[in-house]
Amino acid sequence: MPDLPLSPGSTLGILGGGQLGRMLSQAASRLGFDVVILDPQPDSPAARVSRAQITAPYDDPDALQALGRLCDVVTFEFENVPAASVETLAEAGALVAPGPTALAVAQDRVDEKTYLNAVGAPTVAFAAVTTLDDLTAAIERLGLPALLKTRREGYDGKGQVWVRDAADAEAAFDAIGRRPAVLEAAAVFQRELSVIAARGRDGAVAVYPLGENVHQNGVLKTTTAPAAVDPATQGRAEAIAAAVLDGLDYIGVMGIELFDMGDGELLVNEVAPRVHNTGHWTQDGCVCDQFEQHIRAVVGWPLGPSNAHARIEMTNLLGDEVEQWRTLAAEPHARLHLYGKHDARPGRKMAHINRIL
């Protein structure tokens, strides 16, 4: 195990070569670290701003061994990396953060909601679903409408379907491939908020101001932060974040999506054990953005300040919206962040722009 905190010149490994890995690598480079990417896609966006890439599946044992040998610490950019791969790295003596427990909890929606409620972070009522009979019983208990989601994988609206009538139960189960699932009671919320929080190796916690999110077709379109919330709401979000992070002995940045129920109550929708789309505003609204904060946490440095110095509206650019880059780059009081992806497929996150309000 390397000595902590890691010195500049050390090497950081990242499982995943997408846009989050790219922005993590850029932040690590600013702090003087070298970065090695492991991703099955050759010439990934993150690899093109990093020292090297190992091109292999995330569960390839030889690739994992090589990554652990090259790197002083390893992290990951998204939660669909196999938890077993993180366990393999840890068992081989590699320093990995966040750890496999946090990843495993976040990968299973039933386990996630069970954990959240156990640490005092309330969620909507839910029920595990394995069979059609389970779904029928869950509908009777939770009522309709309700949201059926696969227990594992699925994001940006994928792997989920609304059940609005009991007669539609079988069609809904078919729509998600009859996979193990969770049925969630509908949340009548006023708005969706999110909180980005970090926990260091010394147990220190830093929480950013809340962001307010707007989705289109199940995909995040804008986050405005700091959100217009009262101090009590910010305080409740910070308490939820601290409970979740401490309970997992978490190291790194986590995104926590919240339902603002409008009566002073916040419910947790889901957590992401990584840097998060709703935290991109911090790149231009804070001295220490979420990407640098994550690097600081995993290498054992002190956490940076999480207060905002500007109010930002972050807008995702999806698919061919990225072709507007010439116009967007000319906007005053705005900063364009391009991900280096080659194919602008419909709905694919290609870039974001942060506008100072």
Side-chain angles (χ1 to χ4, degrees):
M1 285 286 183
D3 293 332
L4 295 172
L6 293 182
S7 300
S10 302
T11 300
L12 172 76
I14 301 177
L15 293 165
Q19 70 264 22
L20 298 179
R22 181 183 179 98
M23 289 182 278
L24 283 169
S25 181
Q26 290 168 325
S29 295
R30 288 197 304 273
L31 298 180
F33 296 101
D34 291 334
V35 177
V36 177
I37 302 296
L38 172 59
D39 192 276
Q41 179 66 42
D43 193 35
S44 68
R48 296 199 301 277
V49 298
S50 302
R51 189 183 83 187
Q53 173 174 336
I54 299 170
T55 303
Y58 297 121
D59 58 357
D60 184 303
D62 293 334
L64 291 170
Q65 183 180 42
L67 186 71
R69 186 172 59 250
L70 287 169
C71 300
D72 299 292
V73 65
V74 178
T75 190
F76 46 85
E77 68 145 3
F78 73 125
E79 62 269 39
N80 286 336
V81 170
S85 296
V86 177
E87 290 173 356
T88 297
L89 284 164
E91 288 169 358
L95 193 60
V96 185
T101 300
L103 185 60
V105 166
Q107 286 180 342
D108 186 300
R109 290 185 171 90
V110 172
D111 291 347
E112 177 186 63
K113 284 182 165 49
T114 301
Y115 167 75
L116 289 169
N117 284 282
V119 297
T123 69
V124 296
F126 67 97
V129 172
T130 303
T131 66
L132 183 58
D133 287 343
D134 291 340
L135 179 55
T136 300
I139 288 171
E140 292 177 357
R141 180 161 68 85
L142 300 180
L144 294 176
L147 186 59
L148 183 66
K149 297 180 179 179
T150 56
R151 281 185 68 153
R152 302 178 68 85
E153 300 181 340
Y155 60 95
D156 288 344
K158 300 178 180 70
Q160 57 185 262
V161 60
W162 281 97
V163 184
R164 303 188 185 279
D165 189 288
D168 299 331
E170 186 166 9
F173 200 33
D174 287 340
I176 64 165
R178 293 188 171 244
R179 296 161 64 188
V182 59
L183 188 71
E184 300 177 0
V188 184
F189 58 94
Q190 288 195 347
R191 57 182 174 170
E192 185 191 280
L193 301 171
S194 58
V195 61
I196 304 299
R199 186 173 181 272
R201 292 189 179 275
D202 60 356
V205 173
V207 183
Y208 290 91
L210 284 162
E212 181 172 346
N213 307 318
V214 175
H215 289 78
Q216 291 181 5
N217 300 317
V219 181
L220 180 71
K221 188 58 182 174
T222 65
T223 295
T224 303
V229 299
D230 56 41
T233 300
Q234 178 70 31
R236 281 191 292 276
E238 291 180 1
I240 287 171
V244 173
L245 294 170
D246 287 341
L248 292 169
D249 195 22
Y250 191 84
I251 307 298
V253 164
M254 175 180 284
I256 303 175
E257 296 178 0
L258 302 163
F259 293 138
D260 180 358
M261 305 304 289
D263 54 4
E265 182 181 16
L266 294 176
L267 299 180
V268 179
N269 178 26
E270 61 183 24
V271 303
R274 53 172 172 81
V275 288
H276 198 252
N277 196 172
T278 64
H280 291 354
W281 71 272
T282 63
Q283 290 174 299
D284 300 293
C286 302
V287 171
C288 180
D289 66 37
Q290 66 164 346
F291 300 100
E292 179 177 328
Q293 194 77 284
H294 186 78
I295 301 302
R296 283 173 167 266
V298 301
V299 302
W301 285 23
L303 298 182
S306 57
N307 58 297
H309 58 68
R311 192 161 189 256
I312 302 292
E313 181 185 76
M314 186 284 302
T315 301
N316 276 327
L317 301 180
L318 308 177
D320 60 10
E321 290 176 343
V322 74
E323 299 303 330
Q324 304 169 30
W325 64 266
R326 294 174 182 83
T327 301
L328 296 172
E331 283 192 27
H333 313 299
R335 191 173 178 214
L336 183 60
H337 299 261
L338 295 157
Y339 301 156
K341 295 180 179 179
H342 298 307
D343 301 319
R345 297 191 298 268
R348 191 184 193 196
K349 293 174 182 174
M350 299 297 296
H352 67 272
I353 186 168
N354 284 335
R355 293 182 172 94
I356 300 173
L357 301 179

